[in-house]
Amino acid sequence: MTSAHLTFDQTDDKVAERVVKMRSSAVRDLFAAASRPDIVSLSGGMPDVSLLPHSAIRTATRAACDDQRAVALQYGSTDGRVETKRVFCDLMRDAGVRTKPENIMITTGAQEALDLIAKTFINPGDIILAEGPTYLGALQAFSAYEPDVRCIAFDNEGMRMDLLEEELERIGKNNPRLKFLYTIPNFQNPGGVTMIPVRRQRLLELADEYNFMVVEDDPYGRLRYDGGHVLPLKALSDEVLYLGTVSKVFAPGLRTGWIAAPKSVLAKINLIKQGTDLCGSAFNQVIVEHYFTDTPWQKTLQKFVKTYRTRRDAMLAALEEYFPAEASWTHPEGGFFVWVTLPPYVDTGSMLSAALEHGVTYVPGDGFFPGASGGKNSMRIAFCFADPEKLTEGIKRLAEVIEERLELYRVFIEAGAIKG
Ligand SMILES: Cc1ncc(COP(=O)(O)O)c(C=O)c1O
């Protein structure tokens, strides 16, 4: 008797090679553990949607359910509703970018935009440049198309242009394999660092000189807690492919984001999107439009900023108080994340089970490098979701776990078994 359904074992030898090479996201894997009440989760980058006023959500959803129901429940155009595009043009104008609805495509979050761009531009073996470490969802999206992702380290002023230039010299000018550079210039995920203006300028000069596209991913740009606004790369060059999303300023459940790019680029991506999902959710786009036009969303944004600033301050103070002298970490001016670096002999991947036993989670650093090629002694910790008391408790627990590891290694180092 034949079955229409293949068992897992049978599909194993049918699966495409690119899937065999793919890894599950460490953050997704930690999701179940992170929701246990006894655990302080420092792993997920989830916005605190409990801060959204009920009245705003009701106002935003009413139109989709009532007078705009007919369009909201129907298929829409692949590139999205023009009304939603206008809202995103306004948001971008606020950030210093002038663009038009015809230069916008609505996507199912910035995550779909990453997949669409990868699917449109990457052939196996093509070179993609990115900060290292970088957003693991981007690495996952890219890896399905089998590129050669090369990482450029950052310091406190963002991606290091000297290292980028060295890598570009190795790649050579007009190398057809070099497709794009992917960057999160504001409050980088996972690094928390922001690229300073002179480096943004230099990056665009290099893009011209070496002929590659720049993909700017900016989910956190409006969540700034200190310092002044820095102009997006897109404000400096119209050629940039800019990715926006409502996930961190409204709600990720809406799964609505956008790409702002030259029309010729969007036309190619449109072909791919047709085969992916025909069009995004019109229902959610109507809700997004009304949220940004009929509710005091800027006041809500201020509430987000104030709350996250307090949480960031609590995390940085706890790190200062409890973490050992051997650890170092970044000091983000915005966003959700702090990147912690431990001595090279500490493996944060194997330390995770001890952390879970102590009631705390984080994301091991190697997931943020292609093929786990770096970051083994690093971790990402998020301050966005827990309240200050919980964050302090989480850091205290984590410090205990790290201290235990360091103690163990000190014994080995003293015995000469490993190098300090
Ligand atoms: C840098 C970065 N890009 C993209 C995304 C995905 O965002 P979205 O919810 O819009 O798909 C995230 C989500 O955490 C992110 O941190």
Side-chain angles (χ1 to χ4, degrees), residues 45 108-112 114 135 138 182 184 188-189 217-220 243-248 252 255-257 336-337 380:
T108 305
Q111 189 63 35
E112 191 203 20
L114 289 166
Y135 171 51
Y182 168 71
I184 309 152
Q188 203 248 9
N189 179 3
D217 189 5
D218 190 23
Y220 305 100
L243 312 188
T245 176
V246 306
S247 287
K248 316 293 165 158
R255 307 307 302 127
T256 304
F336 285 177
F337 307 112
R380 188 193 77 179

Coordinates of all heavy atoms in Angstrom, one line a residue, residues 45 108-112 114 135 138 182 184 188-189 217-220 243-248 252 255-257 336-337 380, ligand 1:
G45 N 14.4 39.0 20.7 CA 14.3 40.4 20.5 C 12.9 40.8 20.2 O 12.5 41.4 19.2
T108 N 6.1 41.2 3.6 CA 5.6 40.5 4.8 C 6.8 40.6 5.9 O 7.5 39.7 6.1 CB 5.2 39.0 4.5 OG1 4.2 39.1 3.5 CG2 4.6 38.4 5.8
G109 N 6.9 41.8 6.4 CA 8.0 42.1 7.3 C 9.3 42.3 6.6 O 9.4 42.0 5.4
A110 N 10.3 42.8 7.3 CA 11.6 42.9 6.6 C 12.2 41.6 6.3 O 13.0 41.4 5.4 CB 12.5 43.7 7.6
Q111 N 11.7 40.6 7.0 CA 12.3 39.2 6.8 C 12.0 38.7 5.4 O 12.8 38.2 4.7 CB 11.7 38.2 7.9 CG 12.3 36.9 7.8 CD 13.8 36.9 8.2 OE1 14.2 37.7 9.0 NE2 14.6 36.1 7.6
E112 N 10.7 39.0 4.9 CA 10.4 38.6 3.5 C 11.3 39.4 2.6 O 11.7 38.9 1.5 CB 8.9 38.8 3.2 CG 8.6 38.1 1.9 CD 7.4 38.6 1.1 OE1 7.0 39.7 1.4 OE2 6.9 37.9 0.2
L114 N 14.3 40.4 2.9 CA 15.6 39.8 2.9 C 15.6 38.5 2.0 O 16.5 38.3 1.2 CB 16.1 39.4 4.3 CG 16.4 40.5 5.2 CD1 16.5 40.1 6.7 CD2 17.7 41.2 4.8
Y135 N 22.7 39.8 11.8 CA 21.3 39.3 12.1 C 21.2 37.9 11.6 O 21.4 37.6 10.4 CB 20.3 40.2 11.4 CG 18.9 39.7 11.5 CD1 18.3 39.3 12.6 CD2 18.1 39.7 10.3 CE1 17.0 38.8 12.6 CE2 16.8 39.3 10.3 CZ 16.2 38.8 11.5 OH 15.0 38.4 11.5
A138 N 18.9 37.1 8.6 CA 19.4 37.4 7.3 C 20.3 36.3 6.8 O 20.2 35.9 5.7 CB 20.2 38.8 7.4
Y182 N 25.2 43.9 3.0 CA 24.1 43.9 3.9 C 24.5 44.6 5.2 O 25.5 44.1 5.8 CB 23.5 42.5 4.1 CG 22.5 42.5 5.3 CD1 21.3 43.0 5.1 CD2 22.8 41.8 6.5 CE1 20.3 42.9 6.2 CE2 21.9 41.8 7.5 CZ 20.7 42.3 7.3 OH 19.8 42.3 8.4
I184 N 23.2 46.7 9.0 CA 22.2 47.2 9.9 C 22.9 48.4 10.6 O 23.5 48.2 11.7 CB 21.8 46.1 10.9 CG1 21.4 44.9 10.2 CG2 20.6 46.6 11.9 CD1 21.6 43.6 11.1
Q188 N 22.9 48.0 15.7 CA 23.0 46.7 15.0 C 22.5 45.5 15.8 O 22.7 45.5 17.0 CB 24.4 46.5 14.5 CG 24.6 45.6 13.4 CD 25.3 44.3 13.7 OE1 25.5 44.0 14.9 NE2 25.7 43.5 12.7
N189 N 21.9 44.6 15.1 CA 21.5 43.3 15.7 C 22.5 42.3 15.2 O 22.6 42.1 14.0 CB 20.1 42.9 15.2 CG 19.6 41.5 15.7 OD1 20.3 40.9 16.5 ND2 18.5 41.1 15.3
D217 N 19.3 47.7 6.4 CA 18.2 47.1 7.1 C 18.0 47.9 8.4 O 18.9 48.0 9.2 CB 18.5 45.6 7.5 CG 17.4 44.9 8.1 OD1 16.2 45.4 8.2 OD2 17.6 43.7 8.5
D218 N 16.9 48.6 8.6 CA 16.7 49.6 9.6 C 15.5 49.4 10.5 O 14.7 50.3 10.6 CB 16.7 51.0 9.0 CG 16.8 52.1 10.0 OD1 17.4 51.9 11.1 OD2 16.4 53.2 9.6
P219 N 15.4 48.3 11.2 CA 14.2 48.1 12.0 C 14.2 48.9 13.3 O 13.1 49.2 13.9 CB 14.2 46.6 12.4 CG 15.5 46.1 12.1 CD 16.2 47.0 11.2
Y220 N 15.4 49.3 13.7 CA 15.5 49.9 15.1 C 15.8 51.4 15.1 O 15.9 52.1 16.1 CB 16.6 49.3 15.9 CG 16.5 47.8 15.9 CD1 17.2 46.9 15.1 CD2 15.6 47.2 16.8 CE1 17.0 45.5 15.2 CE2 15.4 45.8 16.9 CZ 16.1 45.0 16.0 OH 15.9 43.7 16.1
L243 N 15.4 48.7 3.9 CA 14.3 47.9 4.4 C 13.8 48.5 5.7 O 14.5 48.8 6.6 CB 14.9 46.5 4.7 CG 15.7 45.7 3.7 CD1 16.0 44.3 4.1 CD2 15.1 45.8 2.3
G244 N 12.5 48.7 5.7 CA 11.8 49.2 6.8 C 10.8 48.2 7.3 O 10.4 47.2 6.6
T245 N 10.3 48.4 8.6 CA 9.3 47.4 9.1 C 8.5 48.1 10.2 O 9.0 49.1 10.8 CB 10.0 46.2 9.7 OG1 9.0 45.4 10.3 CG2 11.0 46.5 10.8
V246 N 7.2 47.7 10.4 CA 6.5 48.2 11.5 C 6.7 47.4 12.8 O 6.1 47.7 13.8 CB 4.9 48.3 11.2 CG1 4.7 49.1 9.9 CG2 4.3 47.0 11.1
S247 N 7.5 46.3 12.7 CA 7.5 45.3 13.8 C 8.0 46.0 15.1 O 7.5 45.6 16.2 CB 8.5 44.2 13.4 OG 7.9 43.4 12.5
K248 N 8.9 46.9 15.1 CA 9.4 47.4 16.4 C 8.8 48.7 16.8 O 8.9 49.1 17.9 CB 11.0 47.6 16.3 CG 11.7 46.4 15.6 CD 11.6 45.1 16.4 CE 12.1 44.0 15.5 NZ 12.5 42.8 16.1
P252 N 5.0 43.3 15.5 CA 5.5 42.3 14.6 C 4.4 41.4 14.1 O 4.5 40.8 13.0 CB 6.5 41.6 15.4 CG 6.2 41.8 16.8 CD 5.5 43.1 16.9
R255 N 3.1 41.7 10.6 CA 4.0 41.2 9.5 C 4.0 42.2 8.3 O 3.8 41.7 7.2 CB 3.6 39.8 9.0 CG 3.5 38.7 10.1 CD 4.8 38.6 11.0 NE 6.0 38.3 10.3 CZ 7.1 39.0 10.5 NH1 7.1 40.1 11.3 NH2 8.2 38.7 9.8
T256 N 4.3 43.4 8.6 CA 4.3 44.4 7.5 C 5.6 45.2 7.5 O 6.0 45.7 8.5 CB 3.1 45.3 7.6 OG1 1.9 44.5 7.6 CG2 3.0 46.3 6.4
G257 N 6.3 45.2 6.3 CA 7.5 45.9 6.2 C 7.5 46.4 4.8 O 6.5 46.4 4.0
F336 N 17.7 47.0 20.8 CA 17.3 46.0 21.8 C 18.5 45.2 22.4 O 18.3 44.5 23.3 CB 16.4 45.0 21.1 CG 15.0 45.4 20.8 CD1 14.1 44.6 20.1 CD2 14.5 46.7 21.2 CE1 12.8 44.9 19.8 CE2 13.2 47.0 20.9 CZ 12.4 46.2 20.2
F337 N 19.7 45.4 21.8 CA 20.7 44.3 22.1 C 22.0 44.9 22.6 O 22.5 45.9 22.2 CB 21.0 43.5 20.9 CG 19.8 43.0 20.2 CD1 19.3 43.4 19.0 CD2 19.0 42.0 20.9 CE1 18.2 42.9 18.4 CE2 17.9 41.5 20.3 CZ 17.4 41.9 19.0
R380 N 24.6 37.3 22.6 CA 23.7 38.5 22.5 C 22.7 38.4 23.6 O 22.2 37.4 23.9 CB 23.0 38.4 21.1 CG 22.2 39.7 20.9 CD 21.2 39.6 19.8 NE 20.0 38.8 20.2 CZ 19.0 38.5 19.4 NH1 19.0 38.9 18.1 NH2 17.9 37.8 19.8
Ligands
LIG1 C1 18.0 43.4 11.8 C2 16.6 42.8 11.6 N1 16.2 42.7 10.3 C3 14.9 42.2 10.1 C4 14.2 41.7 11.1 C5 12.8 41.1 10.8 O1 11.8 42.0 11.0 P1 10.3 41.7 10.6 O2 9.6 41.4 11.8 O3 9.9 43.0 9.9 O4 10.3 40.6 9.6 C6 14.6 41.7 12.4 C7 13.8 41.2 13.5 O5 14.2 41.1 14.6 C8 15.9 42.3 12.7 O6 16.4 42.4 13.9

